[in-house]
Amino acid sequence: MSDMKNENFFEDKYLIDMLNKIFDPIPIPMILVDRETKVKVINNSFCEFLGYSKEEMIGRRVYDIDENTRFPYVFKTKKAEIAWKHRFKNGKTAIVHRIPVMDDDGNVIYGFGMVLFKDIAEFEEIIKKNKLLESELDLYKTRLKELTGARYSWENIIGESEKMKRAKFLARKAAASDSNVLLLGESGTGKELFAHAIHNDSRRNNFPFVKINCAAIPSELLESELFGYEEGAFTGAKRGGKIGKFELANKGTIFLDEISEMPLGMQAKILRVLQEKEIDRVGGITPIPVDVRIIAATNKDLKKLVKENKFREDLYYRINVMTIEIPPLRERLEDIEVLANYLLKKLSNQMGKYISGISNEAVELLKGYSWPGNVRELENVLERAINLTDSDYISQEHLPIYITGPEAKKQRFLTDRTFDYSLKKVVEQAEKEAIKDCLRYTKGNKRLAAKILKISRSRLYEKLKKYNLENNVNKEEKDNLS
C-alpha cells in the first residue's frame, strides 16, 4: 500500500511542481530520488554544479549521472550520511548530505541529497573563519575575565617555609568550599594575592571577582559604592542610577580589603547581605537578591576591635569562618632567596632590563633585615637595585644603607637570637669569604688558590666541602675548576 502511495506521489504533477518551486530558488544544490534512485526533483543549482540540464537529469538513475554515488548504499543501510566528502564524476569534490526517508513500515521510499559545500576550499575557508571567531570569542572572554576576574593564582604566591605552606594549605581548603574567608596579615604580606588565588581556584572562578578597599572610600560614599543607587536618590545621582559592587559580584566573589576600617553602620548592612542574601540600593524600594561570597582582609586585630566596640561581634563571626593568617616576611626569612629571584625576574620583565641573579652576600644581607614593609618593601628594594646596577647582577652595593650599614648589623645582633656571633663562627665566616675571593681571583684554579692561601690542596678540598663552596660557585667558575 505504501509503494502505491509513493508511486502516486511522484506521478502527482502538482506536487512535483510545488517541490520545484521550493527547491529552485534555494542556492544550495538539492536532489530528491525515488526508491530506485531515479531523479524525481533536482534544483537548478545542482544541475549547474553537475553540468547537466534538468531534462537530462529527471528520470535517470543517479548512478548513470555519477558512478561514485552512495545513494544505493544509504538505501541499503537505511542510515544517513551527514557531511561526507564526495568526489563527483565531473571531478569536483564537495561536502554532501545523503538522507534516506522511510515510511511507517521502515521501508525506504525516497532519498534526499544536498551539497553542503561546493568544494573543499570553501569548506576549509568556513572552518578557518569559525576557528577565528572562536579564537576571538576566547580572547574577549579572557579580556572580560581580566577586567572582572582575579589575576593571580597559587603560582604567584612564593614561599616554601612551614608557615607559608600552612597558609596555602588552609587557603586551598577555603577555595574548595563556599564559606566566607578572613585573611589576617600585616600590610604587604600578600593578602590580595591570596584572595585572587582562592577565587580562581573556587567554583565561582567563571564569575566576577570584585575588590574594594574599605579604607580608601569616604564613609558617606561607601554605601552607594557597595550597593548602588537609584536615579534621583540624591543630588548629583547619575541618570538611570548606578549598579553597586555587590551586584557586580553576583555569583562571584567580593574582596573587602581593610574591612576593619568600615563604619559600624555599614557593617550592619553587610551583615544583612550575609543573612538575607539581598541588597537595597540607595533610594530603592525593592530588595535585589545577590549570591556573593565574601573574602575579607585586615591588618588589625579584629578581636580587640570587637572588645573596644569598634567592630560588630556578629559580623566578625559571620566573616570569620575560614581564617587564614599570612606570616610576615621576618617570620619566613628562608623564603627570601626564592622570593628575591622571583621578584627580580618579574621586575626585569616590567622594566625591560635583564637581571641574571643576585649575589649570596646580598641575599644574606636581605635575610638579616626585619622587613617592616614585608614583601612589598622587598620588591621596592629590588626595583631600586635594578635601577642602580650597571651590570646584569645585583650585589650588596646596590642595596640601601639601612640594610647593609652598621645600624642594620647592630639591629640584627639585637633582634636575631638565632644568629651565632661566637669568635669561632666569625673566624669561620672570614675563612669562607677568603677562600671564595681567592677562587674568584684564580678563576676556579684550586692548585693556585691553595698556593696563595698557603695550605695544601687536600686541606683546601676539606675547606670547600666544609663550607659547601663547590655547590655555590657560579657556572663560569665551575667550568674553570681544574
Side-chain angles (χ1 to χ4, degrees), residues 154 171-172 175-176 196-205:
W154 303 118
R172 286 180 185 273
H196 280 251
I198 290 169
H199 173 79
N200 261 335
D201 199 25
S202 73
R203 68 175 182 84
R204 296 175 178 264
N205 66 346

Side-chain angles (χ1 to χ4, degrees), residues 39 42 47 50-61 64-65:
V39 178
I42 186 168
C47 290
L50 293 174
Y52 291 97
S53 66
K54 257 191 188 184
E55 291 71 22
E56 292 176 291
M57 296 284 292
I58 299 297
R60 294 178 65 183
R61 294 179 186 272
D64 297 331
I65 302 164

Side-chain angles (χ1 to χ4, degrees), residues 258-281:
E258 305 298 346
I259 195 172
S260 57
E261 304 302 316
M262 184 177 285
L264 285 169
M266 187 58 57
Q267 291 178 28
K269 294 184 178 183
I270 295 293
L271 183 65
R272 181 178 179 275
V273 175
L274 291 172
Q275 290 174 336
E276 306 298 331
K277 296 191 181 300
E278 61 183 25
I279 59 108
D280 292 315
R281 285 186 179 182

Side-chain angles (χ1 to χ4, degrees), residues 147-311:
L147 291 171
T148 62
R151 298 194 306 273
Y152 307 112
S153 60
W154 303 118
E155 288 72 27
N156 299 110
I157 301 175
I158 308 302
E160 291 301 320
S161 60
E162 288 304 315
K163 287 190 175 183
M164 186 54 82
K165 282 182 179 178
R166 175 67 178 167
K168 285 197 280 189
F169 170 79
L170 290 173
R172 286 180 185 273
K173 290 292 185 183
S177 74
D178 205 34
S179 300
N180 295 321
V181 179
L182 177 61
L183 301 173
L184 302 176
E186 297 176 6
S187 179
T189 51
K191 297 186 292 295
E192 186 172 335
L193 285 179
F194 271 84
H196 280 251
I198 290 169
H199 173 79
N200 261 335
D201 199 25
S202 73
R203 68 175 182 84
R204 296 175 178 264
N205 66 346
N206 287 321
F207 295 97
F209 175 82
V210 178
K211 53 186 179 179
I212 188 165
N213 190 320
C214 302
I217 301 173
S219 57
E220 61 271 17
L221 299 179
L222 190 57
E223 182 177 4
S224 61
E225 191 70 22
L226 288 174
F227 305 129
Y229 56 79
E230 297 290 354
E231 182 176 345
F234 49 82
T235 304
K238 191 182 295 185
R239 186 175 181 180
K242 179 185 175 183
I243 190 171
K245 300 293 187 183
F246 269 90
E247 282 184 80
L248 283 174
N250 191 36
K251 295 186 179 180
T253 302
I254 190 165
F255 175 48
L256 299 177
D257 198 10
E258 305 298 346
I259 195 172
S260 57
E261 304 302 316
M262 184 177 285
L264 285 169
M266 187 58 57
Q267 291 178 28
K269 294 184 178 183
I270 295 293
L271 183 65
R272 181 178 179 275
V273 175
L274 291 172
Q275 290 174 336
E276 306 298 331
K277 296 191 181 300
E278 61 183 25
I279 59 108
D280 292 315
R281 285 186 179 182
V282 177
I285 57 174
T286 305
I288 300 171
V290 290
D291 172 20
V292 175
R293 180 197 205 177
I294 288 181
I295 299 179
T298 181
N299 59 3
K300 294 186 177 179
D301 186 347
L302 286 186
K303 284 185 179 179
K304 183 180 177 183
L305 293 180
V306 168
K307 289 179 180 178
E308 295 172 353
N309 294 320
K310 294 179 180 178
F311 198 87

Side-chain angles (χ1 to χ4, degrees), residues 360-385:
N360 292 331
E361 294 83 358
V363 170
E364 290 303 315
L365 287 167
L366 294 178
K367 288 181 179 179
Y369 183 59
S370 59
W371 299 108
N374 294 293
V375 180
R376 190 178 293 128
E377 184 182 6
L378 174 61
E379 186 169 358
N380 290 342
V381 166
L382 293 174
E383 183 175 349
R384 173 186 183 275

